[in-house]
Amino acid sequence: MSDRSPRTPAVSCVFVCHDGAGRLLLARRGAGARDEPGTWDTGAGALEYGETFEAAVAREVREEYATTPLEISLLGVRNVLRDDPPSHWVAVVFAVRVDPATVAIGEPHKFDRLGWHTRDDLPTPLHSQLPPTLALLPDQLG
């Protein structure tokens, strides 16, 4: 962080999209991604001022995956502290059921591939924050 950066954590809405039948939607981070390009991750976005968590998740799902959530469920909260890059944010984590037939890459500058995977058949390499996020996911969803 630069000396001008605020010393307060950001709030991020993280979402694990699923099809309701055990498959998880993951995106491979492209060259324009903020960090860890080439890794597979779930979706996420910053909570905007005056926005509910659910509205933020719905907006981000539309932006990133060009689809509308069918169901949004709160999974938990993570306090994320990282050394590289130095960062701190609060991740409010959600499960989001979507229709696989409607999913597409909505932000090609951030993602270069999408894939449906089961928890026991995840692609590699994984983003550093994906395993602790998936740990919040109930077994029946993935």
Side-chain angles (χ1 to χ4, degrees):
M1 275 190 193
S2 72
D3 290 335
R4 292 186 192 178
S5 296
R7 292 300 204 188
T8 58
V11 177
S12 178
C13 290
V14 176
F15 46 92
V16 181
C17 290
H18 65 92
D19 65 359
R23 294 187 310 157
L24 308 176
L25 177 62
L26 299 178
R28 188 173 69 184
R29 298 169 75 83
R34 177 176 37 95
D35 63 10
E36 301 185 45
T39 61
W40 290 86
D41 199 7
T42 62
L47 180 68
E48 295 179 357
Y49 183 84
E51 194 172 41
T52 66
F53 292 135
E54 292 79 9
V57 169
R59 174 180 51 79
E60 288 291 340
V61 168
R62 283 190 303 272
E63 290 174 7
E64 293 185 9
Y65 298 138
T67 192
T68 302
L70 301 174
E71 182 181 338
I72 299 173
S73 305
L74 177 65
L75 295 177
V77 178
R78 296 184 52 235
N79 185 32
V80 182
L81 298 160
R82 292 195 336 171
D83 292 328
D84 186 24
S87 51
H88 182 195
W89 70 91
V90 175
V92 185
V93 183
F94 294 85
V96 177
R97 188 169 60 84
V98 295
D99 178 352
T102 64
V103 171
I105 295 175
E107 295 183 319
H109 57 287
K110 292 182 182 178
F111 308 112
D112 60 17
R113 264 180 81 192
L114 296 178
W116 289 95
H117 304 275
T118 60
R119 196 186 303 220
D120 60 355
D121 188 29
L122 296 174
T124 57
L126 298 178
H127 188 278
S128 64
Q129 298 304 305
L130 184 59
T133 294
L134 292 182
L136 297 174
L137 195 65
D139 289 340
Q140 67 270 21
L141 291 183

